[in-house]
Amino acid sequence: MFHRYLFVLFALVTTSAQVLSATDYSRCQNFMHPSSFNGGAGIGLGMSPVFGFSIKDDGTIQKADFADIKTENAGKTQIISYELPGMPYAYASGAEVKSEPMKMQYIIKRDDKGRIIEIYEGGGATTAQLERLKKMQDDYYRQNTPEEVRKRLDETMGGEDKKYEPPFMTYKGRSIKFRFKDDKCVPSHVSGESYIQPKADGATISTTQLDLDLCRDVNEFLKANPEASACFRKDINERMGMIFKKHAPKFEAEASGLMGFGAGFGGFGGYGGFGSLGYGGYGMGGNLAYSSPAMLVMGSDESFLKGLNDEGYIELKRRMGNSPVINGQRLLQSCFDQGVRDILEEDDLWAQSRPQGGNSSDQDAQTR
């Protein structure tokens, strides 16, 4: 009986190893740890501090020397944890402040075949840390936003006490999901969570940062309709740029004031775009509301414009400076910047898979 048990155990281990070795992780490896900038920055640059691990060719995890690792759920869950030191940043007054150390944790989840299906990144901030961050953001806003701008905001957006405070938002976590197309691992979806209250159990919002199927559909449309990119031609943009250059001196002071106003909403330095208590923040005066896939998709609904004639439509688009085509272009470039350009262009990868048995991940891959 004991020998039979050993044989069964050996067979299971051998089968699992064969499944892991048969899976091509190269695309997911490059997404997490791009070897060059040619295909885009991937998930690791400007959006996260140093990763404490890497994915090996066979799908196993190689932790960094400074990180700890533990395994749970019969090997289906691996947890990488480590701490990064605080980073200094400077106020406009010249005063320097050092952010708190940042505790990082990555939860790696696998399916029944041992394949990586999700990596969740999170810092686990405490209420005390978030409250300190809120105070530092408020102090930064007061010290770096011109007085006339603060007075205007107090008058137009202040509460009962007629004092305006910038909205609070900072990183909580991020989910990076993978799926498998004919045993080829591809990054399929990335979403981020942000605290919008300075409480560990407070309200959060979730934003989609990458949707591979959406990227693919937009890419195919733009390839089939090259005229949709006419407004991005270099010669046209250069001629329009000359007009802006002519009038630029009139707007230098105003632009400087607006930049100071925007700085009060984030951009504290930190480790990267999302901060994670490194005071990077989203930068509320920046691009979050204009570049997230969710906002681009919802902002492209033009059903309310049905009654407009061609001339009215063009004039409205001029005023808004926005359109579904432009949103599509911006979204696609975001996809490219995140490192999936080669994946989107790999036609063989997107060919209809042959029907075969398998779990929901396999079936999902066949229908996309």
Side-chain angles (χ1 to χ4, degrees):
M1 176 65 77
F2 179 71
H3 291 293
R4 181 180 179 185
Y5 170 79
L6 287 179
F7 174 78
V8 171
L9 180 61
F10 174 78
L12 288 173
V13 171
T14 302
T15 301
S16 297
Q18 289 173 342
V19 169
L20 284 173
S21 62
T23 301
D24 180 0
Y25 279 95
S26 60
R27 297 163 186 81
C28 292
Q29 284 175 312
N30 199 54
F31 183 70
M32 297 294 294
H33 308 278
S35 57
S36 71
F37 299 144
N38 293 335
I43 201 70
L45 184 66
M47 299 180 66
S48 173
V50 179
F51 285 114
F53 67 94
S54 59
I55 302 173
K56 298 176 71 174
D57 291 345
D58 61 358
T60 58
I61 297 299
Q62 177 67 52
K63 79 173 187 70
D65 292 339
F66 57 81
D68 296 320
I69 185 171
K70 64 178 180 179
T71 301
E72 298 178 350
N73 194 22
K76 289 185 178 181
T77 303
Q78 294 170 286
I79 302 174
I80 309 287
S81 58
Y82 55 95
E83 183 175 279
L84 291 172
M87 294 288 288
Y89 69 92
Y91 285 110
S93 62
E96 289 191 359
V97 179
K98 189 174 183 179
S99 65
E100 297 183 28
M102 188 161 48
K103 293 182 178 180
M104 296 303 303
Q105 178 174 274
Y106 292 86
I107 301 174
I108 302 166
K109 297 180 181 179
R110 299 179 182 271
D111 62 12
D112 292 337
K113 294 183 178 181
R115 304 178 304 185
I116 299 173
I117 55 175
E118 182 180 10
I119 297 176
Y120 184 84
E121 171 193 271
T126 65
T127 296
Q129 289 173 320
L130 294 171
E131 288 176 344
R132 286 194 291 271
L133 175 57
K134 175 67 164 65
K135 181 180 184 303
M136 294 181 77
Q137 288 185 349
D138 290 346
D139 290 346
Y140 190 95
Y141 163 73
R142 285 190 291 269
Q143 294 185 31
N144 291 270
T145 305
E147 182 178 2
E148 61 273 16
V149 175
R150 287 188 280 113
K151 286 182 178 179
R152 188 161 61 247
L153 287 172
D154 288 342
E155 295 171 357
T156 59
M157 300 179 65
E160 293 181 359
D161 58 355
K162 294 298 180 182
K163 288 293 182 182
Y164 170 78
E165 291 185 356
F168 177 78
M169 179 181 288
T170 194
Y171 166 93
K172 180 180 181 181
R174 177 173 53 171
S175 169
I176 306 164
K177 293 184 178 180
F178 302 136
R179 73 167 184 254
F180 297 85
K181 300 176 71 64
D182 294 331
D183 287 323
K184 298 179 181 70
C185 178
V186 295
S188 61
H189 193 270
V190 180
S191 60
E193 281 186 289
S194 298
Y195 296 104
I196 55 175
Q197 290 180 319
K199 302 177 183 178
D201 59 350
T204 62
I205 60 171
S206 178
T207 57
T208 297
Q209 297 168 9
L210 173 73
D211 184 311
L212 191 66
D213 291 322
L214 174 60
C215 294
R216 170 71 177 184
D217 286 347
V218 171
N219 190 48
E220 292 301 292
F221 173 84
L222 293 176
K223 286 198 299 183
N225 299 274
E227 68 276 11
S229 299
C231 63
F232 293 95
R233 277 172 43 188
K234 183 179 180 180
D235 60 330
I236 294 176
N237 278 282
E238 285 178 345
R239 295 203 301 270
M240 180 63 78
M242 294 301 294
I243 297 174
F244 291 136
K245 186 175 181 179
K246 173 184 174 182
H247 293 272
K250 295 188 296 186
F251 298 98
E252 287 179 358
E254 182 177 338
S256 178
L258 288 172
M259 289 296 291
F261 167 68
F265 288 87
F268 290 92
Y271 284 99
F274 289 90
S276 185
L277 300 181
Y279 310 114
Y282 277 101
M284 290 300 291
N287 296 323
L288 176 63
Y290 300 96
S291 61
S292 71
M295 292 298 292
L296 292 174
V297 170
M298 298 305 294
S300 296
D301 181 1
E302 298 196 322
S303 57
F304 66 101
L305 300 178
K306 287 182 177 179
L308 293 178
N309 58 24
D310 289 347
E311 183 179 0
Y313 179 89
I314 291 173
E315 291 184 353
L316 182 60
K317 292 287 102 179
R318 286 174 180 159
R319 295 188 187 100
M320 295 175 63
N322 186 55
S323 75
V325 170
I326 292 175
N327 282 349
Q329 293 279 10
R330 289 161 59 194
L331 186 144
L332 180 62
Q333 188 59 49
S334 173
C335 300
F336 286 170
D337 290 344
Q338 294 187 70
V340 297
R341 183 194 300 263
D342 291 343
I343 295 173
L344 297 176
E345 298 286 356
E346 190 174 349
D347 291 333
D348 290 345
L349 183 65
W350 294 88
Q352 186 76 13
S353 301
R354 293 185 300 274
Q356 58 185 13
N359 62 15
S360 57
S361 295
D362 296 320
Q363 295 166 359
D364 179 63
Q366 293 169 20
T367 59
R368 294 185 185 274

